Amino acid sequence: MTAPLAAVPRFHLAIPVDDLDAARLFYGGVLGLEQGRSSDAWVDWNLHGHQFVTHLATERVRRIHNPVDGHEVPVPHFGLILPIPEFQVLAERLRTAGIDFVIEPYVRFEGEKGEQWTMFLLDPAGNALEFKAFADDSQVFAV
């Protein structure tokens, strides 16, 4: 996956997983992320130039959902804002891998400010991910 522009600060995010081998298959195999350093307790991933780490943890996070646009959105969640063509390629890659979507890819706020494609899914440990793509990237923070 491509790296962000150098002018954009990179984030670091660490999440719990209950099986590092399953995390390797999902994040490396399904999502195609490059693996970095690792140990018996964690794996670093390159998430479009951001440092994303899966840490082995035996306890799961409690799931909460909020109603948004007629869907039950899992909270917490994380993901990326992609260009629309990359979003579509990823959606197809996930379908081909047999991933079950929490919320299937669809267009939210169609014809309005902030129009965007969005999709939600869970990793093997139950962490929620959202990937989205804006029709007009300048409207990411539109009100």
Side-chain angles (χ1 to χ4, degrees):
M1 299 192 142
T2 59
L5 299 173
V8 176
R10 293 176 289 172
F11 69 77
H12 166 81
L13 174 66
I15 64 164
V17 298
D18 55 6
D19 183 332
L20 284 178
D21 289 333
R24 282 185 175 96
L25 286 172
F26 180 77
Y27 289 103
V30 176
L31 292 184
L33 302 184
E34 179 185 346
Q35 182 178 317
R37 295 170 296 164
S38 67
S39 78
D40 292 340
W42 53 268
V43 178
D44 279 347
W45 301 97
N46 179 350
L47 183 64
H48 276 250
H50 303 284
Q51 187 184 41
F52 170 66
V53 187
T54 48
H55 280 272
L56 189 58
T58 55
E59 293 183 33
R60 290 203 176 204
V61 175
R62 185 176 146 244
R63 286 206 187 132
I64 301 168
H65 293 83
N66 281 336
V68 177
D69 198 30
H71 296 279
E72 290 297 311
V73 170
V75 177
H77 63 263
F78 68 95
L80 292 174
I81 299 171
L82 302 168
I84 291 174
E86 284 187 46
F87 176 93
Q88 299 297 353
V89 167
L90 178 59
E92 187 54 36
R93 181 179 185 140
L94 293 167
R95 284 186 184 104
T96 299
I99 299 298
D100 291 325
F101 291 98
V102 174
I103 299 174
E104 291 276 340
Y106 80 103
V107 178
R108 177 189 288 169
F109 312 124
E110 191 166 9
E112 300 175 30
K113 261 188 192 175
E115 178 179 320
Q116 61 191 264
W117 280 91
T118 187
M119 63 179 149
F120 285 83
L121 58 136
L122 302 177
D123 76 1
N127 295 297
L129 292 86
E130 178 186 19
F131 294 94
K132 55 174 63 178
F134 282 79
D136 178 351
D137 197 60
S138 71
Q139 294 188 358
V140 170
F141 299 106
V143 291

